[in-house]
Amino acid sequence: MISVVIPIYNEVALLPRLHRELAAALDGVGEEWEVVYVDDGSSDGSLQAILELQRGDARVVAVELSRNWGHQPALTAGLSTARGHAVVLMDGDFQDPPAVVPQLIAAWRAGAQVVVAARSGRRERGFRRVLMPLFYRVLHFLSDMPLPLDAGIFGLLDRQAVDAVNRLGESNRFLPGLRAWVGFRTATVLYERGGRAEGEPKQSFWRLLRYALDAIFSFSYKPIRLSLLLGGLVAVFALLYGMSLIVCRLLGLGMFGRPVVDGYTSTIVSILFLAGVQLISVGILGEYIGRIYDEVKRRPLFLVQKVHRRAP
Ligand code: UDP
Ligand code: MG
């Protein structure tokens, strides 16, 4: 069986068409399926619309969340509810076209356990158009492990990968990152990301910013290491500059043709040197905090693909 998980927040205008197109796409695949709609605390009657769909189609599963939790928590809820051998994650606003879902399933049948739908183009509007590709590039540069460029949550996970992702208990979730982190045989399907079919995006700028920071800080130590690097550079500079000042002072030479003012040497050298020491200390603290962060995330140390044993 194949499950499709879709988070829904105030999408009442889109739901009937979404389900119609999805059902048509899934019926062509020739496999049993269910669609898990996660109502993320909608206030426009989306839940009633989902239940209405369910009355007409027993393959609809509705998860009603207690309030609006956000895109990633809603997807996580759906992921733990889905019962399929393969689970497709997608948005409910047609930016992830239902027609692409059979391609994901085909890649899964061909042996992939994780199928990433990557955007060959996008039709976003406003700040999303500029900032989203930029974000993915910054993340790609910063991240401690390779994350696919221009891939959001749209994709497919087989049961083994779903169970692995469900084991990850961290609360600042960036699913595209977690999906890459669990590994397994991965395939990529390219698709043209459409514009939103109707209405305005339901995630605010601040939500997306927070999401971007979650992504960077859950997958990278580099921001912390920056202060260590900076501290090292300042300290080395202070040392060289200080030594040259001291030498000039002792030999009674001026700096740049002028006599050195009394007290300047000791003041500037101690300021520079202490600044370097402080930055290095912050960096060292950061290294410890980074490790504490890793420990509290409690990600498994490894995931086994398969244990191969020879039959006796
Ligand atoms: N969504 C949700 N909870 C939220 C915000 C959005 O479940 O708090 C759903 C929304 O209904 C849609 C998907 O998540 O199906 C993607 O949201 P949207 O298109 O608004 O955001 P985008 O990522 O395009 O900015
Ligand atoms: Mg959208």
Side-chain angles (χ1 to χ4, degrees):
M1 181 171 75
I2 290 165
S3 303
V4 180
V5 169
I6 308 183
I8 296 293
Y9 181 56
N10 294 343
E11 308 282 11
V12 76
L14 286 174
L15 271 164
R17 186 180 142 212
L18 177 65
H19 191 68
R20 213 171 39 244
E21 293 195 12
L22 201 57
L26 288 168
D27 280 336
V29 168
E31 203 119 13
E32 259 189 76
W33 55 266
E34 64 173 5
V35 184
V36 179
Y37 291 106
V38 182
D39 173 56
D40 188 17
S42 301
S43 53
D44 68 343
S46 289
L47 177 67
Q48 285 66 34
I50 296 168
L51 295 175
E52 180 62 38
L53 291 174
Q54 192 178 51
R55 275 190 282 280
D57 188 344
R59 296 168 296 190
V60 171
V61 179
V63 177
E64 178 185 354
L65 297 187
S66 60
R67 64 167 169 87
N68 177 240
W69 292 88
H71 186 227
Q72 300 286 308
L75 284 162
T76 306
L79 213 48
S80 65
T81 310
R83 289 165 308 165
H85 297 110
V87 180
V88 174
L89 297 179
M90 63 188 285
D91 283 350
D93 59 354
F94 288 93
Q95 285 200 279
D96 304 333
V100 177
V101 172
Q103 292 177 41
L104 304 180
I105 296 171
W108 170 61
R109 281 181 169 159
Q113 292 176 285
V114 174
V115 185
V116 177
R119 295 138 194 188
S120 59
R122 56 167 77 233
R123 236 174 275 136
E124 233 96 31
R125 278 178 297 144
F127 70 85
R128 283 175 167 73
R129 191 179 181 88
V130 190
L131 289 187
M132 282 187 167
L134 182 70
F135 158 70
Y136 280 106
R137 266 141 202 92
V138 170
L139 181 65
H140 189 77
F141 168 72
L142 283 179
S143 135
D144 298 327
M145 53 165 216
L147 292 178
L149 279 174
D150 286 314
I153 55 112
F154 192 27
L156 176 149
L157 302 169
D158 85 340
R159 187 35 60 189
Q160 203 178 354
V162 171
D163 290 341
V165 171
N166 284 343
R167 270 176 72 190
L168 305 177
E170 59 198 84
S171 37
N172 297 311
R173 293 177 88 77
F174 176 62
L175 280 165
L178 298 179
R179 180 180 58 196
W181 186 85
V182 297
F184 299 115
R185 285 190 303 276
T186 304
T188 305
V189 168
L190 285 180
Y191 78 105
E192 175 87 13
R193 185 154 173 88
R196 184 171 244 286
E198 165 91 44
E200 288 300 309
K202 302 299 186 290
Q203 308 201 79
S204 65
F205 173 75
W206 297 110
R207 262 259 171 96
L208 283 177
L209 187 66
R210 154 110 209 264
Y211 180 51
L213 294 178
D214 280 351
I216 289 169
F217 292 120
S218 338
F219 288 96
S220 176
Y221 276 172
K222 291 203 178 91
I224 300 182
R225 298 226 159 104
L226 208 60
S227 69
L228 206 55
L229 182 73
L230 217 60
L233 288 179
V234 171
V236 167
F237 173 74
L239 208 68
L240 294 178
Y241 185 54
M243 272 183 341
S244 63
L245 276 179
I246 290 167
V247 167
C248 291
R249 191 84 174 124
L250 289 180
L251 297 182
L253 302 169
M255 278 297 259
F256 309 117
R258 266 183 271 166
V260 177
V261 181
D262 269 352
Y264 175 74
T265 310
S266 56
T267 312
I268 203 72
V269 168
S270 51
I271 287 178
L272 278 177
F273 185 68
L274 277 178
V277 168
Q278 278 170 353
L279 277 172
I280 290 176
S281 314
V282 169
I284 292 174
L285 278 182
E287 289 292 322
Y288 281 103
I289 290 177
R291 281 163 179 73
I292 294 172
Y293 185 42
D294 256 356
E295 296 294 335
V296 297
K297 273 192 289 200
R298 294 209 148 265
R299 287 187 192 161
L301 271 185
F302 54 82
L303 294 163
V304 174
Q305 171 90 38
K306 188 178 175 187
V307 178
H308 298 263
R309 270 190 226 282
R310 252 181 69 177

